[in-house]
């Protein structure tokens, strides 16, 4: 048993984040690494009890979207909530990818980062969360899920990142000017929000995945209990009788018989925060249980009419919106409504819930923590970048139903959906100014720079007619070669440079960190006159992602030995 599962022997129930059955509260935490507290390696961290609400935030993230997605009849009832929407900056990092790009048919995918904050910054959150020693302290992003809506709106993919994942944190600059320098070592991913807010969590995901993130929604747990009851019950399944209670009193208190039960209210909250009793007793097992619950809940919303009452709907929508913080691109009710309508187009059978493939860290002091699994985590990220469905079923035919309205993408109402959009024309190569920067050193420092690569690649471009090319004396480190440009007017020219060099279209990125078109010759192109062709993209999520299909009503949680009755 690993992943911080045995390190809290003798700890109090409050420290573990679990409470006796029937008590108020929210989901529990993953135990700290063996041989030390969960906070090992970071100063000023809060006790483990702070994480026990994260499942509530996880649920309210998607639930808020689902509620809004059923709101056509009650739209006018919550227009007045515009003034209640809280906003924050989308991306505080330096790596801004410019948003999702339309496909050949003018359809634009959509990437939304759902963040669950454990902030206890008001009386309601404090009453729900307890743990008085953490009141008004810095929050943690204990739940992080990337929701990808395909360009043609035929499928949706969700990637959860374990909150114990260790990452290099990017430099983040708050709107007021305060700078949080890039980390010099690995930092636990849930600390990203402490570096300026949700915009730094977005920046960390962008840095790791190279996926353009269009929006974020950050949720706390206010109003979750009321919304859980309003659903009217969610079917869940366990393979054996389960009772989440240890001999020393820890555990959620969940007690269910073998098979399927319809749960709501306090029992639903117990399910969502149960660690002891599911799978191997780790946070990973709890994530899988949450995926089962969320898929089941989505099916319930679609097949019953419990939320057709506009008064009830208005109350639920208000509770959800007042608990959310969104980026400034979602600062109006009509924008949230448009977004919900886009999400609603995907049937449950084309929703795939996954967990980022991970491995236990072997680095000193990080026992029980995890890192992205080499190869397979990148495969999952690449599928999202290239808009490949995780369920292996591919996409449907291009359809006008993939409206660009919710993303701000340019629409072409006069052209059939099947026709490619007209792209701007690039200038002649001799008129395109290009800077080439040697970035062949790997970001982790394992490989040093190859001397002279900027001049070599500059010469390649010159030979192809790009006469305004300069080899930059400044260097950088990029694992993958990339071309960045500063303004929309330079986009077509940057794409022409990529074509001349044999780089994929996905390597072209808009950035506010460059003044013109800059070619970063990365670690993947250390020699030769052309970059190595990437391997074929995967067509299905790796098994290590533990994919769960939204139509799978037969999913059943394995029970940890010793927690049956």
């Amino acid at each position: 048993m690993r992943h911080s599962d045995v390190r809290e022997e003798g700890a109090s129930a409050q420290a573990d984040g679990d409470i006796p059955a029937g008590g108020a509260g929210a989901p529990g935490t993953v135990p700290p690494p063996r041989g030390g507290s969960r906070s090992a390696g970071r100063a000023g961290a809060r006790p483990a009890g702070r994480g026990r609400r994260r499942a509530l935030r996880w649920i309210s993230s998607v639930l808020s979207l689902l509620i809004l997605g059923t709101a056509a009849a009650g739209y006018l009832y919550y227009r007045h909530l515009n003034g209640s929407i809280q906003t924050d900056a989308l991306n505080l990092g330096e790596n801004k990818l410019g948003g999702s790009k339309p496909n050949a048919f003018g359809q634009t995918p959509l990437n939304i980062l759902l963040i669950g904050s454990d902030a206890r910054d008001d009386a309601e959150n404090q009453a729900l969360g307890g743990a008085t020693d953490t009141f008004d302290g810095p929050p943690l992003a204990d739940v992080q899920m990337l929701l990808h809506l395909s360009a043609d709106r035929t499928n949706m993919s969700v990637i959860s990142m374990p909150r114990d994942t260790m990452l290099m944190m990017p430099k983040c600059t708050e709107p007021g000017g305060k700078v949080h320098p890039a980390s010099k070592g690995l930092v636990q991913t849930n600390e990203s929000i402490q570096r300026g807010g949700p915009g730094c969590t977005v920046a960390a995901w962008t840095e790791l995945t190279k996926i353009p993130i269009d929006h974020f929604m950050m949720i706390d747990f206010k109003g979750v209990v009321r919304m859980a009851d309003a659903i009217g019950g969610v079917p869940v399944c366990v393979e054996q009788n389960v009772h989440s209670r240890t001999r020393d009193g820890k555990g959620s208190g969940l007690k269910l018989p073998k098979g399927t039960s319809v749960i709501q209210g306090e029992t639903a909250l117990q399910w969502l925060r149960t660690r002891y009793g599911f799978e191997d007793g780790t946070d990973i097992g709890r994530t899988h249980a949450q995926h089962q619950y969320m898929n089941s809940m989505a099916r319930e919303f679609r097949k019953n009419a419990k939320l057709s009452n506009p008064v009830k709907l208005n109350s639920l929508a208000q509770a959800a919106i007042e608990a959310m913080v969104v980026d400034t691109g979602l600062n109006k009710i009509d924008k949230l409504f448009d977004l919900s309508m886009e999400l609603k187009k995907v049937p449950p059978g084309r929703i795939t819930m996954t967990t980022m493939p991970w491995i236990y860290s072997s680095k000193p002091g990080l026992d029980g923590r995890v890192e992205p699994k080499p190869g397979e985590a990148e495969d999952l990220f690449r599928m999202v970048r290239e808009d490949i469905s995780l369920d292996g079923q591919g996409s449907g035919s291009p359809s006008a139903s993939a409206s660009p309205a919710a993303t701000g993408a340019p629409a072409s109402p006069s052209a059939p959906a099947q026709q490619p959009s007209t792209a701007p024309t690039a200038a002649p190569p001799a008129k395109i100014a290009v800077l080439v920067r040697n970035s062949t050193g790997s970001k982790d420092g394992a490989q040093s720079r190859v001397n002279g690569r900027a001049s070599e690649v500059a010469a390649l471009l010159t030979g192809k007619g790009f006469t305004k090319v300069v080899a930059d004396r400044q260097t950088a480190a990029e694992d993958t070669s990339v071309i960045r440009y500063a303004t929309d007017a330079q986009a077509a020219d940057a794409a022409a440079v990529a074509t001349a060099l044999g780089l994929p279209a996905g390597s072209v990125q808009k950035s506010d960190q460059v003044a013109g078109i800059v070619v970063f010759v990365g670690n993947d192109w250390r020699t030769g006159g052309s970059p190595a062709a990437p391997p074929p993209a995967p067509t299905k999520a790796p098994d290590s992602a533990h994919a769960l299909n939204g139509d799978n009503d037969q999913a059943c949680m394995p029970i940890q030995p010793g927690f049956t009755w």
Side-chain angles (χ1 to χ4, degrees):
M1 187 182 299
R2 296 198 64 188
H3 200 67
S4 313
D5 53 319
V6 298
R7 295 171 306 173
E8 292 191 1
E9 296 298 331
S12 69
Q14 183 174 8
D16 180 67
D18 293 321
I19 58 175
T29 67
V30 172
R34 289 175 295 188
S37 72
R38 166 187 162 190
S39 309
R42 62 186 177 100
R46 298 187 299 194
R50 67 180 182 270
R52 69 183 188 178
R53 291 85 49 211
R54 67 185 179 282
L56 298 185
R57 293 180 297 280
W58 195 100
I59 202 111
S60 64
S61 297
V62 181
L63 184 55
S64 298
L65 294 176
L66 291 171
I67 287 172
L68 292 174
T70 62
Y75 178 46
L76 295 177
Y77 282 84
Y78 59 80
R79 286 185 61 89
H80 71 280
L81 294 177
N82 273 334
S84 301
I85 299 175
Q86 306 172 69
T87 65
D88 212 325
L90 174 61
N91 188 332
L92 299 179
E94 295 183 329
N95 189 0
K96 297 178 174 68
L97 303 182
S100 297
K101 297 177 175 59
N103 63 13
F105 300 96
Q107 301 167 321
T108 306
L110 189 61
N111 297 309
I112 307 168
L113 188 64
L114 305 178
I115 304 170
S117 165
D118 75 345
R120 305 184 189 192
D121 49 5
D122 59 34
E124 189 173 357
N125 280 331
Q126 291 168 357
L128 287 167
T132 58
D133 56 329
T134 67
F135 284 8
D136 299 316
L140 292 169
D142 270 346
V143 177
Q144 299 174 32
M145 297 191 306
L146 181 67
L147 185 155
H148 172 77
L149 182 62
S150 69
D152 61 8
R153 304 304 189 252
T154 62
N155 64 91
M156 184 189 300
S157 304
V158 178
I159 302 176
S160 295
M161 182 185 294
R163 57 120 194 188
D164 286 343
T165 303
M166 306 302 295
L167 304 174
M168 298 294 293
M169 286 291 156
K171 174 184 176 182
C172 289
T173 304
E174 298 185 28
K178 182 178 179 179
V179 176
H180 301 265
S183 65
K184 296 181 179 180
L186 295 175
V187 177
Q188 192 160 301
T189 184
N190 60 354
E191 294 183 39
S192 57
I193 198 173
Q194 298 179 0
R195 301 166 63 83
C200 196
T201 304
V202 169
W205 271 80
T206 302
E207 189 73 20
L208 173 67
T209 68
K210 304 299 185 292
I211 295 170
I213 295 176
D214 304 289
H215 299 293
F216 75 78
M217 302 180 74
M218 183 172 70
I219 313 291
D220 61 17
F221 43 85
K222 289 182 292 191
V224 173
V225 172
R226 281 175 289 165
M227 287 187 283
D229 285 336
I231 299 169
V234 173
V236 296
C237 178
V238 291
E239 293 183 354
Q240 298 173 270
N241 297 344
V242 62
H243 187 200
S244 178
R245 177 68 66 216
T246 65
R247 292 181 178 179
D248 54 355
K250 295 195 291 287
S252 70
L254 177 73
K255 190 172 184 179
L256 292 175
K258 175 182 177 180
T260 299
S261 299
V262 177
I263 61 174
Q264 64 184 107
E266 196 70 34
T267 306
L269 301 184
Q270 290 173 343
W271 173 277
L272 292 167
R273 64 185 177 85
T274 292
R275 179 178 77 247
Y276 297 120
F278 287 156
E279 297 186 356
D280 60 356
T282 69
D283 189 57
I284 300 299
R286 175 161 46 200
T287 298
H288 297 160
Q290 292 167 356
H291 287 178
Q292 180 189 143
Y293 183 94
M294 293 307 302
N295 277 341
S296 183
M297 184 178 66
R299 293 191 298 270
E300 291 301 304
F301 263 101
R302 287 178 179 268
K303 74 181 183 182
N304 68 55
K306 288 184 173 63
L307 297 182
S308 60
N309 183 319
V311 176
K312 180 182 291 187
L313 180 62
N314 181 54
S315 175
L316 293 171
Q318 182 165 345
I321 288 172
E322 290 181 350
M324 283 195 304
V325 177
V326 299
D327 66 276
T328 53
L330 294 176
N331 62 349
K332 299 292 183 184
I333 292 297
D334 55 350
K335 294 179 180 180
L336 288 168
F337 180 79
D338 288 344
L339 171 60
S340 70
M341 291 298 99
E342 294 297 293
L343 295 171
K344 193 178 179 183
K345 293 174 182 176
V346 180
R350 296 304 309 279
I351 298 174
T352 306
M353 311 281 299
T354 64
T355 301
M356 179 195 75
W358 55 270
I359 57 172
Y360 285 109
S361 178
S362 60
K363 295 180 175 61
L366 298 182
D367 186 36
R369 311 296 174 87
V370 303
E371 297 180 34
K373 186 175 183 178
E376 295 186 13
E378 170 56 24
D379 283 347
L380 202 64
F381 302 150
R382 181 182 176 186
M383 292 181 73
V384 170
R385 288 197 300 267
E386 299 184 16
D387 197 25
I388 300 171
S389 62
L390 300 186
D391 59 11
Q393 297 184 42
S395 298
S397 300
S399 169
S401 67
S403 167
T407 66
S412 301
S414 61
Q418 289 79 11
Q419 297 300 314
S421 57
T422 302
T425 303
K431 293 186 177 182
I432 300 176
V434 184
L435 190 67
V436 182
R437 186 169 298 170
N438 187 344
S439 307
T440 52
S442 60
K443 285 191 172 183
D444 61 7
Q447 289 182 293
S448 58
R449 267 189 323 274
V450 178
N451 292 331
R453 283 302 286 160
S455 296
E456 292 171 0
V457 173
L460 289 173
L461 281 172
T462 301
K464 294 176 181 292
F466 291 82
T467 57
K468 294 184 177 181
V469 179
V470 176
D472 193 6
R473 293 184 178 181
Q474 184 178 345
T475 60
E478 296 285 345
D479 291 332
T480 305
S481 298
V482 63
I483 298 174
R484 297 192 174 106
Y485 62 93
T487 67
D488 291 338
Q490 297 166 343
D493 292 348
V497 174
T499 300
L501 291 174
L503 292 171
S507 67
V508 181
Q509 304 171 354
K510 185 178 180 181
S511 172
D512 60 4
Q513 300 303 306
V514 295
I517 298 173
V518 182
V519 177
F520 293 80
V521 184
N523 184 254
D524 63 336
W525 192 12
R526 296 172 66 84
T527 61
S530 61
T539 58
K540 188 176 181 180
D543 290 343
S544 57
H546 201 91
L548 181 64
N549 182 271
D551 256 353
N552 183 0
D553 59 2
Q554 301 301 309
C556 210
M557 284 301 296
I559 302 305
Q560 184 182 7
F563 288 87
T564 59
W565 53 275

